[in-house]
Amino acid sequence: RSSLRTPTRGRACPCSTMSEVAGLIEASQKPEEVQIEKQKQAAALPQNPLSTAQLEQAQAKALHLARAGNFEEAEVLLESCLEATEAYLKHIMEDGSARDADTLSSHELKESAERRALLMAPQCNRLSLVKLQLLKVKQAQELATRAYEIMLNRHPGQAEEDHPEMATSLKLLGDCALSYKEFEKSEQLYFRAVSLALKFHGPTHPLICDTLAKLSSLCVEKDEYQKAQEFQEKVIELREQILGKDHADVSSALLDMGRIYILQGKFKAGEDVYWRAMAILEKTVGFNHPSVGGVLRCLGDLQMEQNKTKAAESLYTQSVAVFDKAYGEESIQSGKALLHLARFHQLLGTEAENERDSHFEKAEGCLTRAWHTIKLHSHSSRRLASCAKDFLYVLDTMNRTDNPLSQELEAVGKHAICFEIVGLKA
């Protein structure tokens, strides 16, 4: 990590707060499929000399793929774009030949460092963002650093933060530092990004909104919930201004605000915000969208916090149904939702003596399905061990020694004890 460079030149901006690690996103393609796709995309890219129209078309396709969650395909295409651009720039510098009117002028590329920077830096930043989504943090950091330095050095002898593209690089570098738990560095980079974006874009630019959301999460990590709430209120306000009140990204910001309220013990405020988010999602993506399943599960957790057990059971059950419909009954998403429902019945079975058997039987049914789906899809030993531990507790409480999964569960359950010991030592 220490070998990774972080920009230190240029005018630093005042700083002031916190931390959060970027969300995990599962890759959708197998390695061999990625290689095949890479070959296809490379064949489809323009050869030297590079057509600006073709380059823009390829990049637009990559951004569309990224928005759809196809990050591996987007990565392949953006890498090919960057390689083709670098090869063409080298070609131009070597022989200075341009073939048609749609080709970038060799004279412009030779004489204008500004043009070269504006061609390369945005591509590096886009690829850095996709790398972050794939958790390739070191590569993302190197690309964002490269983009920043290309822009910084485009005017020899005048190194300063004087272009909006540099704000994007700083934001990405802040995300990388956050992934490495380097909270102070991340905070400083975020505030430099906000200051630069304000200068060039004004106060309602999406980059400012996204960076403030990160600062809100940083405050949560520091247990500074009031500051987190203030940042998040601004995020909601900006997203409503930019996107409209009924946009899915507004619902995402509302959910984050709900979590901040709950961390402060403000359950009623948190519940109200969750229902607002739910209403937006139902209007924009429909009730059977996976995002709705996640909100239902969160609402179930919130009802349990307030001892509203009937409402919690209904919400957990709806959450499972949504994931079943969206992904299939054997999906990992359904398995995780079933774990929540199983733990609900497990808790009630422990507390309500007169309904003990009924709840534990329901828990056993949920855990049986959850076990099969998690074992089928999950690469996390910790998640499997946690599920096995819950399952064994239910079977032991019910004196169910005849369950066909008992031996398998006991073998995996030992890992749960190991994880707990490691956690205590840490």
Side-chain angles (χ1 to χ4, degrees), residues 386-399:
S386 176
C387 182
K389 186 182 176 186
D390 286 349
F391 209 154
L392 287 167
Y393 172 78
V394 169
L395 294 178
D396 184 60
T397 304
M398 298 175 70
N399 294 316

Side-chain angles (χ1 to χ4, degrees), residues 23-93:
L24 299 177
I25 300 181
E26 297 179 0
S28 60
Q29 281 187 304
K30 298 176 182 177
E32 60 267 27
E33 292 174 335
V34 173
Q35 189 59 35
I36 292 168
E37 184 64 19
K38 186 167 185 175
Q39 291 169 0
K40 289 180 181 176
Q41 300 290 8
L45 284 173
Q47 303 300 312
N48 291 334
L50 183 65
S51 160
T52 53
Q54 287 175 300
L55 177 62
E56 288 171 4
Q57 184 180 13
Q59 290 177 342
K61 181 180 178 182
L63 292 176
H64 175 75
L65 288 167
R67 290 192 190 100
N70 298 322
F71 296 111
E72 289 190 347
E73 292 181 53
E75 178 190 30
V76 166
L77 188 51
L78 287 172
E79 282 178 342
S80 297
C81 286
L82 188 58
E83 288 168 10
T85 303
E86 288 173 320
Y88 182 60
L89 288 173
K90 184 179 179 181
H91 168 74
I92 286 294
M93 295 302 290

